[in-house]
Amino acid sequence: SGNLYVAGEIGASMTFRAGIHTVPMGADSKAVLFKYNAATLDFDWAIPCGIGAGGPDVRGLVYGSSGLYVAGDVFHGTTAFGGHSVTSSMTDPFVARFSESGVAQWAVTARGTGPDHMRAIDADATGAGVWVLTQMGYVAGTSITVGSSSFASMTPHTNIAFHVDSAGAITNAAMIYASAEDVAHNVYSIAGVSDGYYVSGDKTTEGTLTLGNQTLTSMGAYVAHYSTSTNDFDAFKVIPNEVLGMPNLD
């Protein structure tokens, strides 16, 4: 229908204005979500996108068949999304769903044992859920649980991708990790497809990068496919490191 939904952050001491709608920003409320109506050429509504310690950071927004999915990071303490709240001990990635009229319907987080961050979000093939890419900070000798999947500590910065359905349930969690702390790697994006998703990233030093049951030893940029039929990564495409520089998929 051509309507536009936008989520983002503005200054903590400012007031956001969208037509006749105003949203005061404060130290604990610096993110906003609003709708622009293509038929009326005006704003239908504007609301705070989370209120909590430090205010949430917004990293992405997906429009799906069951509503709006906002992704980002929350900080120490409790963050409220309308009548729903999440709690964080450090920094944790969140996904919150809103109706097309701006009503918060639920919010969920995924936690590691260190500071964790949202990296990317994309709609799944049905449009009723989303695929999420996070970076988890582990403490040596610990493990975490994401949905029903448990992961042992591998390296301090490990990526975990997972699915969040229309009810807020987390499933299909998969881990991407390096063989040692000094193996430099990045995972930049996630893209939902009919049978799972693709992630893109790179590895810039020697060592092994593990994606589920797959391993990558060569340096370079890569694209990897995760299949929902096997619940694992099943294909790689590697762009080797060239003499003139490393390809970057960011």
Side-chain angles (χ1 to χ4, degrees):
S1 57
N3 295 326
L4 177 67
Y5 298 91
V6 179
E9 303 160 37
I10 63 174
S13 61
M14 302 174 65
T15 296
F16 177 80
R17 300 183 185 278
I20 64 172
H21 308 282
T22 61
V23 182
M25 297 288 103
D28 295 333
S29 176
K30 59 184 182 181
V32 65
L33 174 66
F34 65 88
K35 176 185 178 181
Y36 179 78
N37 191 310
T40 64
L41 302 181
D42 201 356
F43 298 91
D44 282 356
W45 48 263
I47 60 172
C49 190
I51 300 175
D57 286 344
V58 174
R59 305 294 186 191
L61 169 65
V62 168
Y63 176 80
S65 60
S66 58
L68 311 171
Y69 294 86
V70 179
D73 297 324
V74 291
F75 305 101
H76 302 269
T78 299
T79 300
F81 297 88
H84 307 272
S85 62
V86 295
T87 302
S88 172
S89 58
M90 298 183 70
T91 304
D92 293 311
F94 77 87
V95 177
R97 194 180 84 172
F98 295 80
S99 70
E100 293 186 32
S101 57
V103 177
Q105 298 176 321
W106 50 255
V108 295
T109 59
R111 299 183 190 177
T113 51
D116 315 309
H117 301 281
M118 178 66 63
R119 295 289 289 169
I121 183 172
D122 194 35
D124 65 17
T126 69
V130 290
W131 291 106
V132 174
L133 175 64
T134 65
Q135 180 173 308
M136 297 293 189
Y138 281 147
V139 174
T142 64
S143 63
I144 69 166
T145 299
V146 178
S148 60
S149 302
S150 294
F151 301 98
S153 175
M154 296 298 176
T155 53
H157 298 291
T158 296
N159 295 97
I160 294 181
F162 54 87
H163 184 261
V164 184
D165 69 15
S166 60
I170 296 175
T171 60
N172 296 92
M175 183 163 62
I176 303 171
Y177 66 95
S179 56
E181 291 185 35
D182 58 354
V183 178
H185 73 100
N186 298 285
V187 189
Y188 297 113
S189 62
I190 189 167
V193 292
S194 60
D195 59 345
Y197 61 83
Y198 287 94
V199 292
S200 67
D202 58 34
K203 185 171 76 72
T204 58
T205 59
E206 299 289 345
T208 301
L209 184 66
T210 300
L211 298 85
N213 290 320
Q214 305 290 323
T215 57
L216 174 64
T217 57
S218 59
M219 291 186 290
Y222 69 87
V223 176
H225 176 257
Y226 175 92
S227 171
T228 51
S229 63
T230 62
N231 292 325
D232 201 358
F233 290 94
D234 61 359
F236 273 116
K237 177 65 177 181
V238 180
I239 306 170
N241 188 7
E242 303 293 343
V243 175
L244 295 180
M246 166 67 68
N248 191 318
L249 296 183
D250 193 0

